[in-house]
Amino acid sequence: AQKVTQAQTEISVVEKEDVTLDCVYETRDTTYYLFWYKQPPSGELVFLIRRNSFDEQNEISGRYSWNFQKSTSSFNFTITASQVVDSAVYFCALSGRARGKAAGNKLTFGGGTRVLVKP
Amino acid sequence: NAGVTQTPKFQVLKTGQSMTLQCAQDMNHEYMSWYRQDPGMGLRLIHYSVGAGITDQGEVPNGYNVSRSTTEDFPLRLLSAAPSQTSVYFCASSYRRSAYEQYFGPGTRLTVT
C-alpha cells in the first residue's frame, strides 16, 4: 500500500522568510510519480510540480524549489522569500504503476500542510 | 477549454436523500476520478474510471456509485446520504498514464444533516 506523510499540519511565517514543507512517502513500486498541489483559500487545487522516481535532480521554479531524495523517500518543497499570496494548504501526492485495469493515476495524498504567511 | 466543471457548488441534503454530483471535462481525458476532502485527511479516492464503460473502486467507495457512459462525463451518485458523507468533493481528470498531472474541478461542498 502507498502512503504519504506530511508531518507538519500548519506553519506560520512572516513575509520574506523561507519555509520548507516536508513530505515522506512509502511505496513498493520502483516506478512512481510524486506531485505537489496548492490549495489556496478559494478552494481549488493547483498543480505545482511532478517528479518521476528516476529523476533525482532538484528543481527550481522562481521562488519554489523541490528536493527529491530517494534514499530517504522524501520530496520536500521550499518557498523562498515567502509572500502573503503563498498562504494556502499544500499537498504532496504519490501515484504508482498501473496494475491490470487499475490506473496508475490513482493519487495517494498526504494530509496537507497549511502555510500562513503574515505581512 | 472549460477544463473540469462540477455542479452544484454547494448542496445540503437530509439523511437518507439521494443525489448526483455532476462532473464534466472537455480535454478528452481517459482518466477521471472522484475524491473527497476531509479536514486533516487530505483527499481520498472514491471511484475512478479509465475510459467510457470502465469504472473501479478507490479507497472509500461505500455509499457511492458511478458510471461512465461518455468520455466527458463522470457523475457521482449518493444512494442514501449520511452525515459521514459531509465533505468537499473533487472531480479530476487526466491522460491515463500515471506520469500526467490531474486537473481538478472547483469542488462541491456537501452537507448532510
Side-chain angles (χ1 to χ4, degrees), chain A residues 99-114:
Chain A
R99 291 178 174 81
K101 71 169 183 174
N105 308 71
K106 292 192 289 183
L107 284 175
T108 300
F109 282 83
T113 299
R114 181 177 301 277

Side-chain angles (χ1 to χ4, degrees), chain A residues 12-54:
Chain A
S12 182
V13 297
V14 176
E15 212 170 15
K16 296 191 180 143
E17 287 184 342
D18 297 348
V19 55
T20 295
L21 285 60
D22 298 331
C23 172
V24 175
Y25 62 92
E26 296 174 29
T27 180
R28 287 181 293 180
D29 290 337
T30 53
T31 301
Y32 52 89
Y33 295 86
L34 293 158
F35 302 82
W36 277 94
Y37 284 86
K38 174 182 179 180
Q39 186 176 43
S42 51
E44 73 273 23
L45 283 150
V46 178
F47 165 76
L48 295 178
I49 191 172
R50 170 187 58 240
R51 170 67 68 220
N52 76 56
S53 53
F54 295 106

Side-chain angles (χ1 to χ4, degrees), chain A residues 33 35 37 39 43-45 47 50 91 95-96 100-107 109-111, chain B residues 31 35 37 40-43 45 48 50 55-56 90 94-102 104:
Chain A
Y33 295 86
F35 302 82
Y37 284 86
Q39 186 176 43
E44 73 273 23
L45 283 150
F47 165 76
R50 170 187 58 240
F91 291 100
S95 70
K101 71 169 183 174
N105 308 71
K106 292 192 289 183
L107 284 175
F109 282 83
Chain B
Y31 180 82
Y35 293 86
Q37 181 179 16
M41 300 185 73
L43 282 78
L45 182 65
Y48 67 95
V50 298
T55 64
D56 205 351
F90 287 96
S94 74
Y95 295 109
R96 181 171 176 178
R97 293 180 59 187
S98 57
Y100 293 100
E101 69 270 24
Q102 296 189 30
F104 285 83

Side-chain angles (χ1 to χ4, degrees), chain A residues 2 93-96 101-110, chain B residues 31-38 41-50 55-62 64 66 74 76 87-94 102 104:
Chain A
Q2 298 182 322
L94 168 69
S95 70
K101 71 169 183 174
N105 308 71
K106 292 192 289 183
L107 284 175
T108 300
F109 282 83
Chain B
Y31 180 82
M32 295 185 74
S33 57
W34 278 100
Y35 293 86
R36 59 178 288 173
Q37 181 179 16
D38 301 297
M41 300 185 73
L43 282 78
R44 292 180 294 167
L45 182 65
I46 304 171
H47 285 286
Y48 67 95
S49 168
V50 298
T55 64
D56 205 351
Q57 296 180 351
E59 182 185 352
V60 288
N62 292 342
Y64 307 95
V66 292
F74 192 44
L76 178 73
S87 189
V88 180
Y89 291 84
F90 287 96
C91 179
S93 75
S94 74
Q102 296 189 30
F104 285 83

